[in-house]
Amino acid sequence: MAIEKIFKDDASEEKGERARMASFVGAIAITDLVKTTLGPKGMDKILQSTGRGHGVTVTNDGATILKSLHIDNPAAKVLIDISKVQDDEVGDGTTSVVVLAGELLREAEKLVATKIHPMTIISGYRMAAECARNALLQRVVDNKENAEKFMSDLMKIAMTTLSSKILSQDKVHFAQLAVDAVMRLKGSTNLEAIQIIKKPGGSLRDSFLDEGFILDKKIGLGQPKRIENAKILVANTAMDTDKVKIYGARVRVDSMSKVAEIEGAEKEKMREKVQKIIAHGINCFVNRQLIYNFPEELFADAGILAIEHADFDGIERLALVTGGEIASTFDNPESVKLGHCKLIEEIMIGEDKLIHFSGVEMGQACTIVLRGSSHHVLDEAERSLHDALCVLSQTVNDTRVLLGGGWPEMVMAKEVDELARKTPGKKSHAIEAFSRALVAIPTIIADNAGLDSADLVTQLRAAHHKEGCNAGIDVISGSVGDMAELGISESFKVKQAVLLSATEAAEMILRVDEIITCAPRKREDRM
């Protein structure tokens, strides 16, 4: 008896071997796409959009590359997802996590071909991941008691993070900027207080850190250019209602004097609103919307600095930083929370005038001004710096630090290998495969630098058989070097997130034995 078809005509399903094949191929293709960006000598990718204006992004940040891809393969989407989560959670290691997951699947593919059940592979991977994590935990360094050593740890981590990015040429300068900015946060991981402003012109080296807040606006005509002990009212209200603005409104009058009366009434209404605002006892008024000439004139007469059309990001952050709240009605001055700062003045950066708020209520606020030759360079510099800030703010909370440069992977691989020798049964094949996948990361770092990876990785493995060894790949000299001397450090939190996310993602893709694609919805003919 023939079984009736369950699915619609256009729906497709792939079972067993074919489904697994599709998952592996998709995941490995994504890995091969981003693995050339790994390490200090990783290359960049140009992403060109097909939308209006054909925007171009030049980047080597794994999450940015993967976010921009439109992909049909379900397994590849899982990898894109873990790199996004890694970016949101710890900021760095977005490429490593995809590469590790891809390598785990590449190894799993060989094991499945030798008729080992996916569940056996998964339980082997689980044991190996636990073992690898414990190996790292035994080797972490924690300097939170010693402030000076901890600062140097942070500098090293920042420099290591930046060395694979566009900022690697000036990494000492930018690492110092990032560490200063994060230390101002005093342990909070809220990066909202650090504002990054990008201004084309100058070189990357001209970037600087400024305490306080900078608003990308000019001060209007005839208004005070400098205000001390400012009381700031941050508002989101229409200040352009000295015109009738009711859509489709028609006013019929029988003489010109009536028109003048209407205009007079509108002006009076506006004047009342401005009086209410001035009654708050402020000397700076920042509005999200436009301020027309008439109210601006009234503010100037009252000696109040009025800033119009501040962008929404800017106004929210300004309210946060000065300790005020965004107001939209002005009838009860006592219930409105004003913002405060010591000094407001106009500054010049390059050709542009900006407004600088210093001595703000929220002491940890600061602004990093990035300079660079073009928008593409600035965008990539911002992404790189954001990665460094994320990693540092996480490290301030979780102060455990590891060495970098392929050292953690070799430490983990050595422990996992020993576990494989002790474990009986088919699981030991999976555990061994996990160790091979870990070694793939130093191999790729060496390959990207154009070094002989086979030779280097075997030298590394031999070096790691000595107790307390600090060997890793020194990409600059092209040999095995001492990571502690070279000052290459990474945050434990980042490494742990890479290890656990990659294992879970590989596990999820391995469990798949059938892919069902739904039939597309047909459009009904409306004719």
Side-chain angles (χ1 to χ4, degrees), residues 450-485:
L451 306 172
D452 182 355
S453 60
D455 178 40
L456 270 176
V457 173
T458 42
Q459 281 184 35
L460 250 187
R461 189 180 288 141
H464 270 272
H465 270 281
K466 302 187 192 89
E467 272 306 305
C469 156
N470 292 338
I473 294 179
D474 177 7
V475 178
I476 309 303
S477 71
S479 60
V480 171
D482 185 325
M483 295 290 116
E485 279 174 24

Side-chain angles (χ1 to χ4, degrees), residues 211-213 227-233 283-284 305 318 321-324 338-345 355-362:
E211 63 96 28
F213 181 86
I227 291 181
E228 289 180 13
N229 295 331
K231 294 195 186 78
I232 305 161
L233 177 61
N283 48 14
C284 173
L305 165 60
L318 180 64
V321 165
T322 55
L338 298 180
H340 296 276
C341 79
K342 291 213 176 83
L343 177 67
I344 301 179
E345 58 184 343
I355 304 172
H356 182 228
F357 297 78
S358 54
V360 290
E361 189 98 345
M362 186 176 177

Side-chain angles (χ1 to χ4, degrees), residues 197-213:
I197 284 188
K198 300 175 288 194
K199 283 281 164 208
S203 70
L204 281 169
R205 194 160 297 176
D206 300 336
S207 308
F208 61 91
L209 180 112
D210 204 324
E211 63 96 28
F213 181 86

